[in-house]
C-alpha cells in the first residue's frame, strides 16, 4: 500500500539542497533510473558463454545499473545458460537495437566478454571521461589485445560511428589509461590492486585509485591478489569498526 | 719532550639565526663559564692567531649555520681556526630531499653523534669529541662535503683572503684562508697555495671571468619540480641583495619569506623554497651592484628556476656572459605547458652550468696559476645490439650528440653480418667507432663487458639500439655527474612512444633526484667505478638492475637527471631482443600527460608526427572504426 499523496510545496532545485544538507552528495552519473538506459553497453562476444556470463555478472554487480546491454547475437536464445539467466531482465537484448540505444544514452561502453569489472569500475571510468576535452576513454588490460572503450554518446552521434575514432584523435579527445586503474582484468589473469578510500567523516568514497599495477606473479599471482584485496577490505572494516562508523563495502 | 697542550678557550661562531648563547646552552654546555668567545668569521678584520700552528687550541668549538650550503660557502675561512677537543655544528635547516651525512669516521679515541634540537624542527646537530685534538677545518670540511668525494677545483690549491672571495673556493676542502699580507714566495711549498682567489686581472680574461663559480650543492637542477604546487612568486632584492623577500601569490595575506643572503649567495634551502613555484618574478635587480646581481642570476640560472626578469644592470649582463644572458632571456617568461617550462629550464641551467660549475669556472683560476685548462673528458658509448636493422638508427642517435669527445663501441651480439644498410651506417659514422663481435654464447652482461674492455673513455655511457636520444643527452649526463657527484647517473623513462596505439605518454617518474633506479639505456658511469662495481653481471638479462644494486651496495649514490633527452620506443609485438619485457599497460600507469602520435619532448629536437589511423595497430583500433554498428 502506498503512502498518502504528497503535494510539493517546494521550489524546483530544493531536492539538491536537501541532499547537500544531509551530506548525500550524488555523483553526476548517479540518480534515478531513466528507463531508457543512460549507459549503452555492447558486449563483444568471444564465443565463450562462460566468459560472457562472468562479464555480465560483474556488470550486474556494478554500483551503476542504469544501462541497456546489447549481447552477441543468439546469446539470449532459449536454451542457453545466459538466456535462462537473463530472461526476466529487459535491459538485455540481442536484437540489433544498439544504434537506437546510443541515440538515447549519455555514454557508450564497448565491453569485451571475459573482461571483469569491479563494483565501481563504471563510476571510475565515467569520472575519467569527465576530464576536460575527453570524449573517449580507452583502456589496455594485460593478457588480451581487446581494449575497453567508453564514449561520450553525443560525440559518437555527432561524428558518426565509423569516423568517431579518427575525429577523437584529431581533436586530442582520446585518453588511454591502464585498465588496472579501474580494477579491470581478464578471466584467468590476476586481479589488479585497487582499494577504496574512506573519507574523514566515515563516508565510503568510491574513487578507484591508480596504483602501480598488478601484483607480481612471483608473489602469489592471482591468489596473492585476492589475498591482498581481502586484506585491504579487512583493514577498512577494522577502521570502520574502530571509528564506530559503517564499514566499507567492497 | 713536547709539553701537553692545554685548551685556552671555547668558541662559538654564529652564522645562523639562533643566538650564540642559546646554541651553546642547547648543546648542554655552560655559556656563562669563563673562556667563551664569540667569533665573527665573516669579519674582514678578525684576528687570527698563527703564532703556534696548528693551534690555537680550544676546548669547545661550536658553529651555528642556517644550512649546509652556508657552511660550504664559508668553509675556507675556518682553515686557520686551529684545534679543539669538542666540536659541534648546529645546522638549523636541512633539505629533506637529500640524505644527511656526518661525513666523519671516528677513531677509537673519538665519538661522533648526530642529533636534533627538540625546539627547532628540521635542525641537525653533529658533535665530535676527542681525547686528542680535532682539526676544526678538517671536521667542518667533512661535514660540508656531505659524502662528496671530489675536489671541486680539481686539486688546485686556492688562497682565500676573506668572505668576499670565499665563493671562488666552491667548498673545496683544499682552499685556505691566507692573510693578504703574506708573501707566497716565502711559504714552504707544502703549505703554499697555487693562486689567490679573486677577480681575474688583465684584459685577456675579460668581464665574464670576474664572477665566482656556483657551488652545485647550493645551485643545481637537483630538486627541480616539473609540476610544482604553486603558481607565481615574487622575489625581491632588498638591502642591496643581503636579503630577498619571497612572496607567493597563494600566500597573499601571509608573511613573505625572508631569505638571508648576507654571506653572499642563495643556499640549497633558498633554492628549495623557490622550487614550489611555477615561475619566479625577479624584482629590484636594478638596485643591486652588478656583481651581486650577476651572482644571484648565475645561481638561479644554474638551478633552472623558471624566471621572469626585470631590469638588469648592464654590467651584470657582461659579468654573466653573452651565452648565459641569452639563455636567461630566451627562456624567461610564462608558459602554460609543463613540458615547455621544463625544457626552458633545462636549456638555461645547462648553459649556466657549463659557464659556472667549478670545473669550468676553475679555468680562470688555473690560467691565473699558469696551469693548463682541464678538458672535457672522453666518453665511450656502449651500444649493444642483436638487431642489424636497428644499427643505423642507433648510430644516428650517437652521431647527433653535442659532446664531441666520444668514441662508440658497437657490440654486435650474435650478429655476424650487418647487411648493406648497417654496413653503410658504419662507414658513414662521423666519429670514432669500434665494432666488437660478441658471440651468441655470451650473456648480455658478458657482451657489455667485452665492449667495455675495448673502451678507452674516462666515462662509459650505455645506449639502447631502438630508443631516441636528444642531442644533449651525453652532455647533460656528464653535467649531472658533476653536480650530483653520484657514482652512476642516468635518466628516467618518462616519455614513451607506444607504437601499438600510436600515442606518446609521459609518466610521473620525476627526475633530478637521488634515486635507486635509472633507465638501463641511459646509464653513465666512470670506467673506474664500473670496474670497482665488478662490471656488468654475467647474466642474460637484468644486468642494469644488477649494476645499480652493486653501486648502491658499495655505498655509491645513483642520480637521475631529467627525462627529456630519452624517449623509449615501445614496439607493438616486441620480440626477444628486448631485455625488459613489459605490457603496454605498464606505460599507461601513472601517466601525467598523453599525446596522440609521436610527440618527442622539446629537448629531443625531433619533429613530431601527427596521429594517423593507419599507424595504429589493428588490435588498438576502435570497434566502431571497423564498421560495427551492432554486435556480431
Amino acid at each position: 500500500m502506498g503512502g498518502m499523496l504528497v503535494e510539493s510545496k517546494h521550489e524546483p532545485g530544493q531536492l539538491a539542497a536537501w541532499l547537500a544538507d544531509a551530506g548525500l552528495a550524488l555523483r553526476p552519473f548517479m540518480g534515478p533510473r531513466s528507463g531508457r538506459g543512460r549507459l549503452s553497453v555492447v558486449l563483444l562476444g568471444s564465443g565463450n558463454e562462460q566468459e560472457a556470463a562472468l562479464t555480465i555478472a560483474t556488470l550486474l554487480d556494478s554500483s551503476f545499473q542504469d544501462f541497456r546491454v546489447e549481447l552477441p547475437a543468439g546469446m539470449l536464445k532459449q536454451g542457453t545458460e545466459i538466456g535462462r539467466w537473463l530472461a526476466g531482465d529487459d535491459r538485455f537484448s540481442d536484437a540489433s537495437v544498439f544504434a537506437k540505444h546510443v541515440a538515447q544514452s549519455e555514454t557508450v561502453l564497448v565491453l569485451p566478454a571475459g573482461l571483469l569489472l569491479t563494483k565501481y569500475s563504471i563510476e571510475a571510468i565515467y569520472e575519467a571521461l569527465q576530464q576536460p576535452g575527453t570524449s573517449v576513454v580507452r583502456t589496455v588490460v594485460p593478457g588480451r589485445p581487446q581494449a575497453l572503450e567508453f564514449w561520450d554518446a553525443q560525440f559518437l552521434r555527432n561524428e558518426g560511428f565509423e569516423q568517431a575514432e579518427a575525429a577523437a584523435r584529431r581533436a586530442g579527445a582520446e585518453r588511454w589509461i591502464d585498465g588496472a586503474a579501474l580494477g579491470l582484468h581478464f578471466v584467468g589473469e590476476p586481479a589488479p590492486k585497487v582499494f577504496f578510500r574512506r573519507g574523514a567523516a566515515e563516508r565510503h568514497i568510491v574513487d578507484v585509485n591508480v596504483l602501480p599495477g598488478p601484483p607480481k606473479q612471483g608473489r602469489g599471482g592471482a591468489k596473492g591478489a585476492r589475498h591482498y584485496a581481502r586484506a585491504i577490505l579487512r583493514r577498512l572494516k577494522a577502521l570502520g569498526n574502530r571509528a564506530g562508523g559503517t564499514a566499507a563495502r567492497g | 719532550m713536547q709539553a701537553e697542550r692545554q685548551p685556552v678557550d671555547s668558541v662559538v661562531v654564529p652564522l645562523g639565526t639562533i643566538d650564540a648563547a642559546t646554541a651553546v646552552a642547547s648543546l648542554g654546555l655552560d655559556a656563562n663559564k669563563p673562556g667563551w668567545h664569540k667569533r665573527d668569521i665573516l669579519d674582514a678584520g678578525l684576528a687570527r692567531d698563527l703564532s703556534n700552528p696548528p693551534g690555537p687550541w680550544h676546548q669547545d668549538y661550536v658553529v651555528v649555520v642556517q644550512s649546509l650550503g652556508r657552511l660550504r660557502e664559508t668553509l675556507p675561512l675556518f682553515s686557520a681556526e686551529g684545534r679543539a677537543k669538542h666540536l659541534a655544528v648546529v645546522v638549523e635547516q636541512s633539505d629533506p630531499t637529500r640524505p644527511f651525512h656526518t661525513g666523519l669516521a671516528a677513531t677509537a679515541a673519538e665519538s661522533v653523534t648526530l642529533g636534533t634540537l627538540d625546539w627547532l624542527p628540521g635542525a641537525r646537530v653533529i658533535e665530535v669529541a676527542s681525547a686528542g685534538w680535532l682539526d676544526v677545518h678538517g671536521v667542518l670540511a667533512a661535514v660540508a662535503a656531505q659524502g662528496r668525494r671530489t675536489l671541486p677545483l680539481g686539486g688546485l690549491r686556492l688562497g682565500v683572503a676573506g668572505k668576499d672571495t670565499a665563493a671562488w673556493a666552491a667548498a673545496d676542502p683544499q682552499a685556505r684562508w691566507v692573510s693578504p699580507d703574506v708573501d707566497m714566495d716565502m711559504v714552504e711549498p707544502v703549505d703554499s697555495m697555487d693562486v689567490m682567489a679573486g677577480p681575474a686581472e688583465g684584459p685577456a680574461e675579460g668581464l665574464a671571468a670576474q664572477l665566482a663559480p656556483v657551488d652545485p650543492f647550493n645551485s643545481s637542477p637537483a630538486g627541480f619540480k616539473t609540476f610544482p604546487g604553486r603558481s607565481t612568486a615574487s622575489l625581491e632584492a632588498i638591502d642591496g641583495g643581503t636579503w630577498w623577500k619571497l612572496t607567493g601569490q597563494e600566500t597573499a595575506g601571509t608573511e613573505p619569506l625572508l631569505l638571508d643572503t648576507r654571506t653572499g649567495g642563495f643556499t640549497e634551502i633558498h633554492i628549495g623554497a623557490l622550487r614550489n613555484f611555477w615561475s619566479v618574478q625577479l624584482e629590484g635587480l636594478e638596485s643591486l651592484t652588478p656583481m651581486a646581481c650577476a651572482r644571484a642570476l648565475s645561481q638561479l640560472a644554474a638551478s633552472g628556476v623558471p624566471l621572469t626578469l626585470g631590469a638588469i644592470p648592464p654590467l651584470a649582463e657582461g659579468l654573466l656572459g653573452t651565452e648565459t644572458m641569452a639563455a636567461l632571456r630566451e627562456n624567461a617568461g610564462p608558459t602554460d605547458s609543463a613540458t615547455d617550462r621544463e625544457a626552458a629550464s633545462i636549456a638555461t641551467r645547462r648553459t649556466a652550468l657549463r659557464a659556472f660549475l667549478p670545473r669550468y669556472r676553475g679555468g680562470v683560476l688555473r690560467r691565473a696559476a699558469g696551469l693548463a685548462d682541464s678538458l672535457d673528458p672522453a666518453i665511450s658509448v656502449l651500444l649493444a645490439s642483436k638487431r642489424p636493422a636497428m644499427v643505423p638508427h642507433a648510430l644516428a642517435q650517437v652521431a647527433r650528440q653535442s659532446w664531441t669527445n666520444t668514441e662508440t663501441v658497437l657490440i654486435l651480439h650474435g650478429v655476424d653480418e650487418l647487411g648493406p644498410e648497417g654496413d653503410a651506417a658504419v662507414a658513414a659514422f662521423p666519429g670514432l667507432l669500434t665494432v666488437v663481435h660478441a658471440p651468441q654464447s655470451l650473456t648480455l652482461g658478458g657482451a657489455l663487458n667485452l665492449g667495455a674492455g675495448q673502451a678507452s673513455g674516462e666515462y662509459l655511457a650505455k645506449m639502447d639500439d631502438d630508443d631516441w636520444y636528444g642531442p644533449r643527452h651525453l652532455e647533460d649526463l656528464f653535467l649531472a655527474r658533476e653536480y650530483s657527484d653520484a657514482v652512476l647517473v642516468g635518466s628516467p623513462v618518462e616519455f614513451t612512444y607506444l607504437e601499438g596505439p600510436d600515442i606518446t605518454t609521459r609518466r610521473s617518474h620525476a627526475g633530478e633526484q637521488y634515486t635507486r633506479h635509472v633507465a638501463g639505456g641511459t646509464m653513465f658511469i666512470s670506467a673506474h667505478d664500473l670496474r670497482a662495481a665488478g662490471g656488468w653481471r654475467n647474466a642474460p638479462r637484468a644486468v642494469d638492475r644488477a649494476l645499480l644494486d652493486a653501486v648502491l651496495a658499495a655505498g655509491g649514490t645513483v642520480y637521475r637527471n631529467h627525462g627529456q633527452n630519452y624517449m623509449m620506443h615501445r614496439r607493438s609485438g616486441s620480440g626477444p631482443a628486448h631485455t625488459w619485457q613489459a605490457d603496454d599497460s605498464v606505460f599507461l600507469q601513472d601517466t601525467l600527460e598523453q599525446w596522440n602520435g609521436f610527440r618527442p619532448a622539446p629537448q629531443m629536437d625531433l619533429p613530431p608526427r601527427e596521429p594517423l589511423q593507419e599507424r595504429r595497430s589493428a588490435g588498438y583500433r576502435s570497434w566502431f572504426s571497423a564498421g560495427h554498428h551492432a554486435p556480431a
Side-chain angles (χ1 to χ4, degrees):
Chain A
M1 194 175 116
M4 71 173 69
L5 180 66
V6 175
E7 189 177 334
S8 181
K9 300 171 185 172
H10 301 286
E11 294 294 319
Q14 178 60 48
L15 180 72
W18 287 338
L19 297 179
D21 288 348
L24 296 170
L26 285 181
R27 291 166 176 241
F29 201 45
M30 308 297 275
R33 293 191 189 179
S34 64
R36 54 186 163 78
R38 294 166 70 190
L39 169 66
S40 183
V41 183
V42 55
L43 185 77
L44 305 186
S46 66
N48 184 324
E49 192 182 9
Q50 182 184 358
E51 287 197 346
L54 295 177
T55 298
I56 292 167
T58 61
L59 200 53
L60 290 170
D61 189 42
S62 170
S63 67
F64 183 78
Q65 291 291 311
D66 191 4
F67 52 70
R68 298 178 77 169
V69 185
E70 186 87 3
L71 298 176
M75 192 166 271
L76 283 178
K77 277 193 308 193
Q78 284 187 341
T80 64
E81 273 290 283
I82 289 178
R84 284 190 289 274
W85 184 33
L86 299 176
D89 192 337
D90 61 4
R91 293 176 297 173
F92 293 86
S93 63
D94 66 358
S96 296
V97 291
F98 179 64
K100 183 181 158 199
H101 285 174
V102 172
Q104 296 176 335
S105 62
E106 296 171 16
T107 50
V108 177
L109 172 65
V110 179
L111 182 64
L115 186 61
L116 306 182
L117 308 168
T118 68
K119 187 181 285 287
Y120 302 109
S121 293
I122 292 176
E123 284 189 55
I125 199 167
Y126 180 81
E127 283 187 3
L129 190 67
Q130 301 313 302
Q131 296 297 312
T134 306
S135 297
V136 57
V137 178
R138 313 276 306 270
T139 71
V140 176
V141 182
R144 299 191 199 176
Q146 297 111 313
L148 178 147
E149 302 175 34
F150 196 73
W151 289 84
D152 174 358
Q154 184 70 45
F155 186 87
L156 268 178
R157 290 192 290 266
N158 290 347
E159 301 295 338
F161 289 174
E162 285 189 46
Q163 298 306 315
E165 182 182 26
R169 297 193 73 192
R170 274 196 307 275
E174 180 190 63
R175 181 165 166 74
W176 288 82
I177 58 178
D178 172 24
L182 304 171
L184 305 180
H185 64 287
F186 278 103
V187 173
E189 297 287 333
K193 293 187 282 188
V194 294
F195 66 91
F196 304 106
R197 278 194 291 135
R198 291 180 65 82
E202 297 303 312
R203 290 197 179 80
H204 182 32
I205 297 176
V206 295
D207 292 339
V208 176
N209 290 269
V210 178
L211 282 176
K216 301 253 187 321
Q217 286 288 2
R219 293 183 182 172
K223 190 177 172 187
R226 283 195 296 275
H227 178 77
Y228 178 82
R230 287 186 193 123
I232 290 284
L233 289 173
R234 277 199 301 275
R235 184 159 170 265
L236 289 174
K237 196 170 181 179
L239 284 169
N241 291 338
R242 193 185 310 161
T246 309
R249 294 173 292 124
Chain B
M1 184 176 139
Q2 191 176 8
E4 188 178 346
R5 303 278 184 194
Q6 290 298 318
V8 295
D9 62 0
S10 291
V11 166
V12 57
V13 181
L15 285 171
T17 58
I18 306 172
D19 72 76
T22 306
V24 169
S26 68
L27 295 168
L29 302 171
D30 182 4
N32 296 316
K33 76 172 184 184
W36 272 103
H37 298 288
K38 191 160 76 175
R39 279 176 75 74
D40 181 1
I41 203 78
L42 304 176
D43 181 2
L46 181 70
R48 286 177 166 88
D49 178 9
L50 306 175
S51 62
N52 192 14
W57 313 88
H58 310 289
Q59 175 59 43
D60 307 289
Y61 198 99
V62 178
V63 181
V64 184
V65 285
Q66 268 189 307
S67 66
L68 288 164
R70 185 68 81 234
L71 179 64
R72 290 171 64 86
E73 261 187 321
T74 53
L75 184 62
L77 306 179
F78 288 95
S79 60
E81 290 300 285
R83 300 288 188 268
K85 288 281 186 186
H86 168 243
L87 200 147
V89 186
V90 179
V91 183
E92 295 176 359
Q93 285 179 281
S94 55
D95 181 352
T97 66
R98 306 189 207 196
F100 191 98
H101 301 268
T102 64
L104 296 161
T107 66
E110 295 170 355
S111 68
V112 179
T113 58
L114 174 61
T116 56
L117 295 178
D118 291 340
W119 52 276
L120 189 62
R124 301 276 196 164
V125 180
I126 302 122
E127 283 195 81
V128 196
S130 175
W133 291 99
L134 297 163
D135 173 8
V136 171
H137 178 259
V139 170
L140 296 180
V143 173
Q146 284 299 293
R148 290 172 181 243
R149 308 165 303 157
T150 50
L151 298 172
L153 298 177
L156 192 78
R157 293 167 64 103
L158 182 70
V160 170
K163 84 174 175 72
D164 292 339
T165 55
W168 280 92
D172 193 303
Q174 293 209 110
R176 294 281 190 278
W177 177 84
V178 176
S179 167
D181 306 326
V182 86
D183 181 355
M184 203 59 77
D185 293 336
M186 303 300 290
V187 179
E188 288 292 320
V190 71
D191 294 324
S192 70
M193 296 287 115
D194 293 322
V195 64
M196 286 296 291
E201 292 175 359
E205 293 291 358
L207 199 56
Q210 309 289 309
L211 203 55
V214 297
D215 177 3
F217 183 86
N218 287 327
S219 311
S220 83
F224 180 83
K225 292 180 180 171
T226 309
F227 299 90
R230 300 159 78 174
S231 57
T232 307
S234 154
L235 184 64
E236 182 187 1
I238 50 179
D239 287 348
T242 51
W243 294 86
W244 292 76
K245 188 166 73 174
L246 176 63
T247 314
Q249 273 187 352
E250 287 85 351
T251 56
T254 61
E255 290 295 316
L257 190 61
L258 282 177
L259 312 183
D260 178 358
T261 51
R262 281 175 293 177
T263 55
F266 296 115
T267 67
E268 82 280 20
I269 303 296
H270 301 149
I271 298 295
L274 301 177
R275 293 282 187 223
N276 298 318
F277 295 94
W278 184 266
S279 71
V280 175
Q281 168 81 46
L282 291 177
E283 292 171 11
L285 296 183
E286 68 279 7
S287 69
L288 302 178
T289 65
M291 187 62 82
C293 178
R295 173 96 184 119
L297 284 175
S298 67
Q299 286 194 284
L300 294 171
S303 306
V305 174
L307 299 172
T308 305
L309 299 174
I312 298 173
L315 204 55
E317 297 196 18
L319 288 165
L320 283 161
T322 50
E323 290 183 350
T324 303
M325 218 38 244
L328 276 167
R329 291 259 185 243
E330 283 169 18
N331 297 306
T335 172
D336 291 334
S337 157
T339 305
D340 290 346
R341 170 182 174 270
E342 185 191 28
S345 167
I346 291 167
T348 305
R349 66 208 196 202
R350 180 191 296 131
T351 306
L353 289 167
R354 288 285 269 183
F356 296 110
L357 273 180
R359 164 182 281 269
Y360 299 110
R361 209 69 188 146
V364 175
L365 298 170
R366 298 184 78 83
R367 286 192 292 275
L371 302 171
D373 266 353
S374 55
L375 302 172
D376 278 342
I379 297 172
S380 296
V381 175
L382 292 185
L383 198 56
S385 182
K386 285 183 164 183
R387 297 174 289 190
M390 294 311 304
V391 167
H393 169 85
L395 290 178
Q397 301 306 304
V398 184
R400 69 196 297 255
Q401 293 300 310
S402 61
W403 196 269
T404 52
N405 191 7
T406 60
E407 66 165 357
T408 304
V409 180
L410 175 62
I411 307 155
L412 298 174
H413 192 187
V415 177
D416 295 326
E417 300 290 335
L418 275 179
E421 287 186 15
D423 286 338
V426 167
F429 188 73
L432 288 172
L433 177 64
T434 303
V435 180
V436 177
H437 287 272
Q440 180 71 46
S441 58
L442 277 185
T443 61
L444 175 59
L448 286 167
N449 285 330
L450 188 67
Q454 299 290 312
S456 62
E458 190 178 334
Y459 294 96
L460 299 173
K462 181 170 174 277
M463 291 172 71
D464 283 348
D465 62 357
D466 58 348
D467 300 326
W468 290 275
Y469 294 86
R472 315 300 284 270
H473 171 67
L474 294 177
E475 183 180 356
D476 285 354
L477 286 176
F478 176 75
L479 291 175
R481 194 182 189 281
E482 284 288 296
Y483 59 73
S484 71
D485 201 45
V487 170
L488 191 152
V489 297
S491 305
V493 186
E494 257 191 299
F495 292 86
T496 305
Y497 174 65
L498 298 172
E499 197 174 81
D502 184 31
I503 61 170
T504 302
T505 62
R506 178 182 198 159
R507 297 166 72 201
S508 61
H509 290 189
E512 300 302 352
Q513 57 181 281
Y514 293 89
T515 181
R516 300 182 64 82
H517 184 73
V518 298
T522 67
M523 285 180 156
F524 186 91
I525 188 170
S526 79
H528 171 270
D529 287 334
L530 179 66
R531 281 193 295 273
W536 270 279
R537 188 168 173 229
N538 186 23
R541 60 183 68 87
V543 296
D544 300 325
R545 182 68 258 169
L547 179 58
L548 287 163
D549 287 344
V551 167
L552 291 166
T557 46
V558 176
Y559 185 84
R560 195 156 73 193
N561 78 336
H562 66 85
Q564 287 213 11
N565 282 337
Y566 177 63
M567 188 169 184
M568 179 171 271
H569 188 178
R570 173 68 190 171
R571 292 169 184 280
S572 56
S574 293
H578 280 273
T579 55
W580 178 40
Q581 299 290 334
D583 193 274
D584 275 358
S585 63
V586 168
F587 301 96
L588 294 170
Q589 290 166 5
D590 306 333
T591 54
L592 294 168
E593 294 182 282
Q594 189 177 119
W595 303 271
N596 256 306
F598 177 75
R599 289 285 298 272
Q603 288 294 328
M604 295 296 293
D605 198 20
L606 288 171
R609 259 188 356 220
E610 290 305 311
L612 280 178
Q613 278 299 83
E614 302 80 60
R615 222 173 264 138
R616 176 165 281 176
S617 304
Y620 287 92
R621 289 192 192 150
S622 169
W623 177 75
F624 291 107
S625 295
H628 296 295
H629 292 184

